[in-house]
Amino acid sequence: MVAHTRADSAPKPTDPALAGARILVAEARYYDAIADELLAGALAAIEAARAQATVVTVPGALEIPATVAILLETGAYDAVVALGCVIRGETGHYDIVAGESARALMDLSVDRRVPLGNGILTVETEAQALARARVAEMNKGGGAAEAALGVLALKRAAEAARPR
């Protein structure tokens, strides 16, 4: 690996090594308007990196980790982007969905050494979710894709620098 200064140490999602990378985007469409914005941001970031996206849709955030695990078994994907939204309600269900989906995704990423951007929003209100999801505002879908692409760039650089 090449040493970098702090200012340029973050991998760039437009790294030429990302061209053609296969990105699995698993989206929960429980809230369609929010999902549309998250997906638009993620796909724009993936396209900017000249990578290829495969989008699969599941009912809710709890279904994302199992879907990702199943599809990673195919060996067809270099990185994963998880998109969805969990809005706090009147019961403790929010805590289970938010915590367990995040835990399972982190376990998958670490255990399988797969770059993963977690774009599952966990918010109090729909207004908070829309502000975070909108491409013109916080663009958390794009941020999740950029995170996965950045880690993939690091992974590829490390693999290229590995002694043969």
Side-chain angles (χ1 to χ4, degrees):
M1 304 271 313
V2 176
H4 296 283
T5 63
R6 185 162 175 77
D8 67 359
S9 63
K12 307 294 185 259
T14 55
D15 184 320
L18 296 173
R22 300 159 306 167
I23 313 301
L24 172 62
V25 179
E27 66 157 351
R29 297 216 46 97
Y30 194 83
Y31 301 101
D32 283 331
I34 296 164
D36 288 343
E37 288 287 331
L38 289 169
L39 183 59
L43 292 177
I46 292 166
E47 182 179 316
R50 296 186 329 269
Q52 302 169 354
T54 299
V55 179
V56 296
T57 301
V58 299
L62 274 179
E63 290 77 33
I64 291 175
T67 300
V68 168
I70 291 164
L71 294 176
L72 283 176
E73 288 295 315
T74 68
Y77 303 103
D78 300 307
V80 175
V81 178
L83 302 174
C85 180
V86 184
I87 300 174
R88 187 178 299 278
E90 296 176 2
T91 69
H93 187 65
Y94 167 91
D95 296 314
I96 293 167
V97 174
E100 291 302 313
S101 63
R103 180 203 49 79
L105 288 171
M106 182 59 69
D107 287 350
L108 277 168
S109 180
V110 172
D111 291 346
R112 299 195 187 195
R113 313 285 193 276
V114 64
L116 188 143
N118 185 346
I120 300 175
L121 305 178
T122 53
V123 296
E124 301 293 323
T125 67
E126 188 171 348
Q128 289 176 343
L130 285 167
R132 285 160 178 74
R134 284 190 189 109
V135 174
E137 292 184 49
M138 297 175 86
N139 193 16
K140 294 296 185 176
E146 289 170 356
L149 292 163
V151 175
L152 179 58
L154 280 173
K155 180 180 180 180
R156 288 185 168 180
E159 289 169 347
R162 185 181 315 153
R164 305 277 171 204

